[in-house]
Amino acid sequence: MTYRILSQSLWPLADAVKKYLRDDRGLSPIKIEKEIAQDVPRPILHALAVDRGIVCVDFLEDSCFGPNVQTFVTTCKSRQLPVRLYIGYPEGSEKVSFGRDLRCARELGVGVISISSRGSITVISEPISLVLSDVRPQDAKEFPPKYRGDLNQALQTYLQGNPVKGCLVIYEMIEALTRRIAKKLHTQKLIAPWQSKAPKLETGSWFNIADTIYKNLDFKKAPDLTQPLWAQVIAITKPRNEAGHEPKTIAERVKRDKELRTRFETAGDLLRNLVEATQNWGV
Amino acid sequence: MGTNASDATLEMLPVERIERNPENPRLYFRPGELETLQHSIAQHGIQVPINVYRKGSRYILIDGERRWKCALKLNLKKVPALVQDEPSQLTNILLMFNIHALREQWDLLTIAVKLPRVLALLEKETGRPPVEQEIIDKTGLNRSAIRRCKLLIELPEMYREQLLEELHKPKSQQKLTEDFFIEMERALKTCERAMPGLIDNKNKARDIIIKKYRNGVVKDLVDLRLLPRIAKAEKVGANTQLAASALQRILSQNDYSIEAGYEDTVSWAYSERDIVQRITTIVERLEDIEPDEMEADVLKALRDLQKRIQRLLGSVR
């Protein structure tokens, strides 16, 4: 099929990218100027990735980003579509605003590809799934320094296309903090004598530790830790242990991404609340 | 023109059932034009209906290819369209010439490629080749555009293809333009007329000039205008043998620039002719001036000129 929308001057570029996506990225079939969802502008090329994300490519005659790129991004985000968008442009057409355009692309989560007149491809930056890019990150400065590195790693992992692992990093931070809090409560004898068999604070299951504290802690003696806050810790141990299932359809992928975004944001909030509640505990 | 737009009906047509007109000479659309229009349509919708004619269950575009492309891109399902009856072949092409070419959206090659077909269809209709004025009346093009088109039409096919290939490239990668070929053809024609027999292989001459232009030996299109000036050496009293040999070098050697050839042969002659022409003009103007009416600044300029002339003449032996 030939292109109907794309300007003829950009056809060789699109053909080169199509070949690259097929040969180097293993994407197939690559559709040309087809709908990805109702009322969403058609990308010039698109293909379904293994993770049910949609890899899209649009082309510009120079490196300058026009408002149409932003419109496409905004539409995909508002429709929660798992789209990763590349913008391809001819090598050598970089304008003075190229640096600004690249920053703009990064902020939008859009990848950039330059294509030489001989059809060789240079991926200048990789895109992130647009639905993921809208996540509300925690402000690392609100956390003590020892948390900041892991927080940043969680966000980057999430944004770079692995939201399950991104959530996992935060869950692990909460789990580690929970265990330290449990130890502290135990040594300070703030927990009533274990009513059942004492859990192993280092190696026991996270749920058991959290649940035992919930049932045995006299929350009046540790006023910073409220019962509702601790209930949230217990609640989060369930998704922590859920194995992530690979979505089989785009609809499943959209649903999963929505859930993961909520989980990532909720877990981040919980971690911040726990850190704030125990900031003077030396944990 | 054989079809009446006032009989057209306004309908909302499915975008997917519309096709581009195979007679549309416009071969390429600049992405920038589409970008702006797409943004506008996304904001305000299609304000002006496109023009189509019905062909079976499909609709063929007469006017509005850019709007249609944007509608496809924006994934619109329907567009407003004025639907007309199918025009004759000649009417179809002429409609597009009149709708598009007058808006100056077409590149010249686009028109040039289609012009021979228009001429053939006009000849078929009237039984004789159309005169220039008829072409102007029918196509809406001006005389200069038609003549420039003819220069492109007369180019050997390999060069037309080369130009087409170039025009298909993104702007940043384009080097050869329609203007380049037009200037080159004009220059070579003048050389042939002024010095018959000088160019024995015109394609070789073209290839050398193209190569020089690509390599920067010919810096810009103005350089090409120096070729006829060298060829007309006789008119300015320069050595024609020398000029002919320089032209031969220009049209056969890859590193000898047109500018150098001009400097080596006729540059001084044209400078002298230019000085003489200017002096003649000044003298004519001075004859109209009464000494009493002379302004101070004119007087001062004349005195400066007088000193310079005296100095110059004094050093002439």
Side-chain angles (χ1 to χ4, degrees), chain A residues 175 179 183 198-209:
Chain A
E175 183 183 339
R179 289 178 192 276
K183 248 189 197 171
K200 288 178 183 163
L201 296 179
E202 302 278 357
T203 56
S205 92
W206 182 20
F207 171 78
N208 275 350
I209 294 166

Side-chain angles (χ1 to χ4, degrees), chain A residues 102-116:
Chain A
L102 278 186
R103 271 198 304 282
C104 167
R106 207 164 35 238
E107 281 161 18
L108 290 172
V110 172
V112 179
I113 301 178
S114 91
I115 304 115
S116 77

